PDB file of all heavy atoms in Angstrom:
ATOM      1  N   VAL L1003      20.952 -12.600  -4.893  1.00  0.00           N
ATOM      2  CA  VAL L1003      20.390 -13.120  -3.538  1.00  0.00           C
ATOM      3  C   VAL L1003      19.097 -12.411  -3.220  1.00  0.00           C
ATOM      4  O   VAL L1003      18.114 -12.973  -2.816  1.00  0.00           O
ATOM      5  CB  VAL L1003      21.415 -12.972  -2.437  1.00  0.00           C
ATOM      6  CG1 VAL L1003      20.798 -13.242  -0.998  1.00  0.00           C
ATOM      7  CG2 VAL L1003      22.565 -13.907  -2.577  1.00  0.00           C
ATOM      8  N   ALA L1004      19.138 -11.026  -3.435  1.00  0.00           N
ATOM      9  CA  ALA L1004      17.897 -10.274  -3.130  1.00  0.00           C
ATOM     10  C   ALA L1004      16.741 -10.683  -4.062  1.00  0.00           C
ATOM     11  O   ALA L1004      15.558 -10.824  -3.587  1.00  0.00           O
ATOM     12  CB  ALA L1004      18.180  -8.777  -3.328  1.00  0.00           C
ATOM     13  N   CYS L1005      17.039 -10.907  -5.298  1.00  0.00           N
ATOM     14  CA  CYS L1005      15.933 -11.363  -6.190  1.00  0.00           C
ATOM     15  C   CYS L1005      15.482 -12.802  -5.915  1.00  0.00           C
ATOM     16  O   CYS L1005      14.310 -13.115  -6.129  1.00  0.00           O
ATOM     17  CB  CYS L1005      16.409 -11.214  -7.624  1.00  0.00           C
ATOM     18  SG  CYS L1005      16.436  -9.487  -8.262  1.00  0.00           S
ATOM     19  N   ASP L1006      16.448 -13.616  -5.517  1.00  0.00           N
ATOM     20  CA  ASP L1006      16.136 -15.000  -5.092  1.00  0.00           C
ATOM     21  C   ASP L1006      15.093 -14.946  -3.894  1.00  0.00           C
ATOM     22  O   ASP L1006      14.195 -15.762  -3.813  1.00  0.00           O
ATOM     23  CB  ASP L1006      17.343 -15.803  -4.714  1.00  0.00           C
ATOM     24  CG  ASP L1006      18.064 -16.256  -5.947  1.00  0.00           C
ATOM     25  OD1 ASP L1006      17.527 -16.182  -7.064  1.00  0.00           O
ATOM     26  OD2 ASP L1006      19.186 -16.680  -5.850  1.00  0.00           O
ATOM     27  N   MET L1007      15.316 -13.998  -2.980  1.00  0.00           N
ATOM     28  CA  MET L1007      14.403 -13.829  -1.837  1.00  0.00           C
ATOM     29  C   MET L1007      12.974 -13.495  -2.324  1.00  0.00           C
ATOM     30  O   MET L1007      12.039 -14.135  -1.788  1.00  0.00           O
ATOM     31  CB  MET L1007      14.919 -12.750  -0.859  1.00  0.00           C
ATOM     32  CG  MET L1007      16.196 -13.091  -0.166  1.00  0.00           C
ATOM     33  SD  MET L1007      16.598 -11.993   1.270  1.00  0.00           S
ATOM     34  CE  MET L1007      16.564 -10.379   0.514  1.00  0.00           C
ATOM     35  N   ALA L1008      12.917 -12.661  -3.269  1.00  0.00           N
ATOM     36  CA  ALA L1008      11.618 -12.266  -3.845  1.00  0.00           C
ATOM     37  C   ALA L1008      10.942 -13.459  -4.468  1.00  0.00           C
ATOM     38  O   ALA L1008       9.774 -13.734  -4.259  1.00  0.00           O
ATOM     39  CB  ALA L1008      11.762 -11.134  -4.901  1.00  0.00           C
ATOM     40  N   HIS L1009      11.783 -14.255  -5.215  1.00  0.00           N
ATOM     41  CA  HIS L1009      11.193 -15.430  -5.842  1.00  0.00           C
ATOM     42  C   HIS L1009      10.729 -16.462  -4.893  1.00  0.00           C
ATOM     43  O   HIS L1009       9.654 -17.092  -5.046  1.00  0.00           O
ATOM     44  CB  HIS L1009      12.302 -16.033  -6.806  1.00  0.00           C
ATOM     45  CG  HIS L1009      11.815 -17.237  -7.525  1.00  0.00           C
ATOM     46  ND1 HIS L1009      10.935 -17.261  -8.614  1.00  0.00           N
ATOM     47  CD2 HIS L1009      12.224 -18.621  -7.282  1.00  0.00           C
ATOM     48  CE1 HIS L1009      10.789 -18.512  -9.009  1.00  0.00           C
ATOM     49  NE2 HIS L1009      11.472 -19.339  -8.250  1.00  0.00           N
ATOM     50  N   LYS L1010      11.505 -16.603  -3.733  1.00  0.00           N
ATOM     51  CA  LYS L1010      11.070 -17.593  -2.797  1.00  0.00           C
ATOM     52  C   LYS L1010      10.020 -16.950  -1.749  1.00  0.00           C
ATOM     53  O   LYS L1010       9.528 -17.647  -0.944  1.00  0.00           O
ATOM     54  CB  LYS L1010      12.302 -17.996  -1.901  1.00  0.00           C
ATOM     55  CG  LYS L1010      13.302 -18.795  -2.797  1.00  0.00           C
ATOM     56  CD  LYS L1010      14.568 -19.046  -1.914  1.00  0.00           C
ATOM     57  CE  LYS L1010      15.582 -19.815  -2.816  1.00  0.00           C
ATOM     58  NZ  LYS L1010      16.840 -20.051  -2.030  1.00  0.00           N
ATOM     59  N   ASP L1011       9.809 -15.594  -1.839  1.00  0.00           N
ATOM     60  CA  ASP L1011       8.834 -14.958  -0.966  1.00  0.00           C
ATOM     61  C   ASP L1011       9.234 -15.000   0.485  1.00  0.00           C
ATOM     62  O   ASP L1011       8.382 -15.187   1.390  1.00  0.00           O
ATOM     63  CB  ASP L1011       7.429 -15.488  -1.181  1.00  0.00           C
ATOM     64  CG  ASP L1011       6.389 -14.510  -0.569  1.00  0.00           C
ATOM     65  OD1 ASP L1011       6.629 -13.308  -0.497  1.00  0.00           O
ATOM     66  OD2 ASP L1011       5.291 -14.968  -0.228  1.00  0.00           O
ATOM     67  N   ARG L1012      10.580 -14.866   0.752  1.00  0.00           N
ATOM     68  CA  ARG L1012      11.010 -14.895   2.169  1.00  0.00           C
ATOM     69  C   ARG L1012      12.400 -14.258   2.192  1.00  0.00           C
ATOM     70  O   ARG L1012      13.260 -14.452   1.244  1.00  0.00           O
ATOM     71  CB  ARG L1012      11.045 -16.245   2.750  1.00  0.00           C
ATOM     72  CG  ARG L1012      11.986 -17.289   2.234  1.00  0.00           C
ATOM     73  CD  ARG L1012      11.847 -18.656   2.842  1.00  0.00           C
ATOM     74  NE  ARG L1012      12.736 -19.629   2.236  1.00  0.00           N
ATOM     75  CZ  ARG L1012      13.956 -19.847   2.484  1.00  0.00           C
ATOM     76  NH1 ARG L1012      14.559 -19.024   3.509  1.00  0.00           N
ATOM     77  NH2 ARG L1012      14.725 -20.729   1.900  1.00  0.00           N
ATOM     78  N   VAL L1013      12.703 -13.618   3.360  1.00  0.00           N
ATOM     79  CA  VAL L1013      14.050 -13.026   3.468  1.00  0.00           C
ATOM     80  C   VAL L1013      14.959 -14.137   3.955  1.00  0.00           C
ATOM     81  O   VAL L1013      14.565 -15.095   4.504  1.00  0.00           O
ATOM     82  CB  VAL L1013      14.044 -11.898   4.509  1.00  0.00           C
ATOM     83  CG1 VAL L1013      13.186 -10.752   4.021  1.00  0.00           C
ATOM     84  CG2 VAL L1013      13.550 -12.332   5.876  1.00  0.00           C
ATOM     85  N   ASP L1014      16.200 -14.022   3.579  1.00  0.00           N
ATOM     86  CA  ASP L1014      17.206 -15.076   3.845  1.00  0.00           C
ATOM     87  C   ASP L1014      18.569 -14.502   4.055  1.00  0.00           C
ATOM     88  O   ASP L1014      19.149 -13.999   3.095  1.00  0.00           O
ATOM     89  CB  ASP L1014      17.202 -16.084   2.615  1.00  0.00           C
ATOM     90  CG  ASP L1014      18.156 -17.257   2.865  1.00  0.00           C
ATOM     91  OD1 ASP L1014      18.652 -17.405   3.948  1.00  0.00           O
ATOM     92  OD2 ASP L1014      18.265 -18.033   1.878  1.00  0.00           O
TER      93      ASP L1014
END
Side-chain angles (χ1 to χ4, degrees):
V1003 169
C1005 287
D1006 284 344
M1007 292 195 304
H1009 179 71
K1010 296 175 182 176
D1011 196 26
R1012 63 182 178 87
V1013 296
D1014 183 4

